[in-house]
Amino acid sequence: MNVTVMDRAPEVSTQSQLGFVDCDVHPYVKSGADLDPFLSERWRKHRQMIGGRARQALSNSPQYFRLSPGTGMRRDAWPPGGGHPGSDLDFMREQVLDKFGVTHGMMLPLIGRCSDERNVEFGAALCTAVNDWQAHVWSDPEPRLKGSVQVTAEYPEAAIAEIERRAGDRRFSQVMIPPRGLEPLGRRRYWPILEAAAANGFPIALHLGGTSGHASTGGGWPSFYHEEHHSYVQSMEALVTSLVIEGVFERIPNLRVVLVEGGFAWMPSLCWRLDKHWKRLREEVPHLKRLPSEYVRENIWVTTQPIEEPERPEDLLQTFEWIGWDRIMFSTDYPHWDQDDPRFAIKVPLPEEFRRKLFRDNAMSLYGLA
Amino acid sequence: MATETPVDCDVHPVVPGMVALLPYLDEMWREMVVRRGLDELNSISYPSNAPLTTRADWRDASGRGASTPERLAREAMAPFGTGTAILNCLYGVQLPFSEDLGAAFARAVNQWIAHEWLDRDERLRASIVVAAQSPELSVAEIERCAADRRFVQVLMLVMGDQPLGKRAYWPIYEAAQRHGLPIGVHAGSSYRHPPTPVGWPSTHTEDYVNQAQAFQSALTSLVTEGVFAKFPRLTVVLMESGWTWLPAHLWRLDKFWKGVRMEVPWVDRPPSEIVRERVRLTLQPVDGPADPAQLGRLLDHMGSEEMLLFSTDYPHWQFDGDRALPEGLPAGLARKMMVDNPRATYPRLSV
């Protein structure tokens, strides 16, 4: 969408010479019926008769209407053979995997609203179905694509069973939870799920989204998608705050958390704020043994898209430095309207060492990719 | 009024208790207070005994801070050579659901401020406290107070019933603009919604940290809904916001405006331009890097030396001793923050 950026000539040294790990790719179904083969008869019937019920008013579309069809898709991403953007493997290869020399693409499916389903038994069945669908429809024919284990956080037993079912399966690289749940993710009742992920070697990917039923700002419901999109950042900030202050990383020191599609430039300010006010209020949270920013620095990774665009592009380098070069991973967010192009998204030359970390090494090391 | 002395744009006089307000309530509300045993409207945003709420050496014998104009002058003004202080009373008139009750207490608080503070120290100015749960009654209170030129601003909480840009609040902004009063948006919530988009946090620490996110959302709302286009002479001051989030937020606002502006055509120029022109932020708390050189870089990312307004946030504990100004301020910024920027922001300080 960054028209001015797209006009630029490509950098001489592109990521494609390095091998590139794309940390946010979205596979879609052509229709909800694509999941039927992976649902039991009972839930197939339920899907057809009742359908999904999230914590919002509209049955299928988001409450904040996007600016392009298909819930905010790139207009040129509709497959020539039909179907939703992201639903055709060959076209995905053409537009992202082959085009950018992607060696590994992390799939973060946004289908079925399985994690948001109010009927948690249906939600759990949908999660299993989406996971089977990722494995069979995507990873098997295209091993570069790695799945994210869908779970419903409001049904911990099922979530843990699902995590254990996928443990050791190289087609899956992480567990995915939408940031907007009923309660902040650091709350004690979610710990068993976080523990299961850590114990089975899965990072937790928090990809923006979820229908919590709560207003998307602390001051109430905004009017516009223009605001809703920013509120995703505030969700991420609140989740980082919750995970750190509740002591999750003291309790589960090997838990690794990846923030996806929430940007990152807000992170330094949040860390300064956490440290500053923790010093005043630490007696309230004596379970924290270190500065809050140290937990963030050690346990949290960020992906780049939608990359922040300072008026002076070089200001971004300072932000990268404040966060730490070993915690930032490039992502395209294909096929969404605001997808970042790895050739143009970063408008300042990066030192080669940082370029390798950003486009490849950090993800390879986090996900244990070979 | 001296025009060369510092202006402290955010200090908090503390209502000692309901009994202090009784003289300023009309007979019906006085009876309500007594018969129903209404004894306080203190917000859970600032637990009385929490370290952040009142700096230890600023607590009086009863444990309260900022209890008299004399203490304020001695503790918050003298150490910094402050010539003017703007009082933002955080008594919880926005918290009850009843619009009438909220408005009655807002009126009482404003009268209490005028008589117990402004009348007793001519260097003090104040924000008009309004119970924004009723925009209509808020406008009436602004009209009542505006004739007193010692009221220099209208005070709202960053989190209320609706995002601050919503049209329901526009009558408040119309009245404020007409009287030359900036809208001061202060940390705090009437807790009509969970304070985060992901639900209710467990701790006071999280609630306080999350205030910064609420400011980001409120600023987004004010820009997106077109408040600055509709009210071209209105200034908004974000108070106790922990402003270090602003550069990154402006980067995003500009980027998404480019992609999504079709939805909000009245936002007819980059949000960063609007914000730098029309929005000001008070200094404390400085949620910045400890290293002065790094803080200097962050201030450079702000892209303006006009935006920050000096504040101590007295009696909240944001700094120790008299270190209200962080190290690492560029030459000249301290003076701008303390003298020039407040005077440019608050027209009523100059007349």
Side-chain angles (χ1 to χ4, degrees), chain B:
Chain B
M1 182 178 293
T3 54
E4 290 297 312
T5 52
V7 180
D8 187 338
C9 296
D10 190 30
V11 299
H12 303 297
V14 174
V15 175
M18 193 63 87
V19 73
L21 296 181
L22 283 178
Y24 305 106
L25 290 165
D26 67 23
E27 196 183 330
M28 185 196 90
W29 285 107
R30 240 186 345 259
E31 189 180 338
M32 284 276 199
V33 167
V34 175
R35 284 199 173 213
R36 298 172 74 180
L38 304 182
D39 54 4
E40 56 105 4
L41 290 180
N42 295 328
S43 170
I44 61 163
S45 294
Y46 297 96
S48 307
N49 296 325
L52 196 144
T53 303
T54 308
R55 207 171 95 172
D57 59 330
W58 289 338
R59 288 182 187 268
D60 65 16
S62 72
R64 277 194 303 271
S67 47
T68 66
E70 293 74 24
R71 289 187 70 101
L72 185 143
R74 187 169 70 243
E75 293 168 341
M77 297 181 75
F80 313 103
T82 297
T84 305
I86 300 174
L87 308 174
N88 293 310
C89 182
L90 299 179
Y91 200 58
V93 304
Q94 307 88 350
L95 313 187
F97 295 110
S98 161
E99 297 179 17
D100 295 323
L101 188 150
F105 280 99
R107 192 164 58 241
V109 166
N110 289 324
Q111 290 180 321
W112 174 78
I113 289 170
H115 290 111
E116 307 288 336
W117 293 78
L118 302 181
D119 285 353
R120 287 169 60 184
D121 189 334
E122 64 177 12
R123 299 171 301 167
L124 300 180
R125 296 293 179 269
S127 295
I128 301 169
V129 172
V130 296
Q133 58 271 50
S134 169
E136 184 191 351
L137 297 175
S138 296
V139 168
E141 183 62 9
I142 293 168
E143 299 295 350
R144 192 187 68 76
C145 294
D148 183 343
R149 305 283 298 177
R150 299 174 302 177
F151 284 104
V152 299
Q153 174 171 254
V154 174
L155 179 65
M156 299 175 77
L157 296 185
V158 69
M159 289 176 271
D161 295 80
Q162 301 185 58
L164 290 179
K166 295 281 274 189
R167 283 171 213 181
Y169 295 123
W170 287 15
I172 296 177
Y173 305 147
E174 189 280 325
Q177 174 177 269
R178 186 157 35 80
H179 290 293
L181 299 160
I183 294 290
V185 177
H186 198 280
S189 178
S190 48
Y191 292 92
R192 300 296 197 262
H193 310 275
T196 85
V198 300
W200 294 92
S202 307
T203 60
H204 170 45
T205 305
E206 289 165 85
D207 269 21
Y208 193 74
V209 169
N210 285 319
Q211 295 283 338
Q213 284 91 274
F215 277 99
Q216 294 159 30
S217 299
L219 181 59
T220 307
S221 171
L222 288 164
V223 169
T224 305
E225 298 266 4
V227 168
F228 296 107
K230 179 76 179 177
F231 304 103
R233 288 175 290 111
L234 186 72
T235 303
V236 170
V237 183
L238 307 182
M239 300 189 295
E240 203 179 324
S241 69
W243 46 271
T244 61
W245 47 266
L246 186 69
H249 189 62
L250 293 180
W251 299 345
R252 290 184 74 87
L253 276 175
D254 279 2
K255 172 166 177 160
F256 281 96
W257 170 75
K258 284 180 206 161
V260 182
R261 62 188 168 183
M262 168 175 112
E263 191 186 29
V264 288
W266 46 84
V267 184
D268 56 3
R269 56 194 174 126
S272 63
E273 275 183 42
I274 300 171
V275 171
R276 289 202 178 102
E277 193 178 292
R278 308 286 293 285
V279 175
R280 300 292 176 260
L281 306 98
T282 61
L283 177 66
Q284 291 289 348
V286 182
D287 297 332
D291 173 6
Q294 304 288 318
L295 184 68
R297 289 195 190 174
L298 178 73
L299 285 163
D300 184 45
H301 289 185
M302 295 281 282
S304 166
E305 292 202 338
E306 322 293 321
M307 299 180 75
L308 290 177
L309 309 178
F310 172 63
S311 70
T312 57
D313 194 24
Y314 172 84
H316 297 164
W317 182 17
Q318 305 292 11
F319 57 90
D320 291 311
D322 55 5
R323 292 188 290 280
L325 294 181
E327 290 178 54
L329 292 183
L333 182 57
R335 190 202 138 85
K336 287 187 84 102
M337 262 182 2
M338 298 181 90
V339 179
D340 303 338
N341 295 348
R343 290 190 185 282
T345 302
Y346 296 105
R348 288 185 168 211
L349 294 185
S350 305
V351 284

Side-chain angles (χ1 to χ4, degrees), chain A residues 24-64:
Chain A
D24 188 20
V25 178
H26 298 295
Y28 281 86
V29 288
K30 288 186 163 57
S31 86
D34 289 9
L35 295 179
D36 282 350
F38 306 105
L39 289 169
S40 68
E41 192 186 340
R42 184 253 187 276
W43 292 118
R44 215 160 36 233
K45 196 172 161 198
H46 181 91
R47 189 192 73 73
Q48 289 158 8
M49 181 177 67
I50 305 290
R53 296 180 71 72
R55 301 177 195 98
Q56 65 165 45
L58 289 165
S59 62
N60 285 315
S61 69
Q63 289 291 133
Y64 293 94

Side-chain angles (χ1 to χ4, degrees), chain A residues 86-97:
Chain A
S87 67
D88 181 309
L89 177 56
D90 283 333
F91 200 51
M92 181 188 282
R93 285 180 176 131
E94 185 185 321
Q95 287 203 312
V96 60
L97 300 180

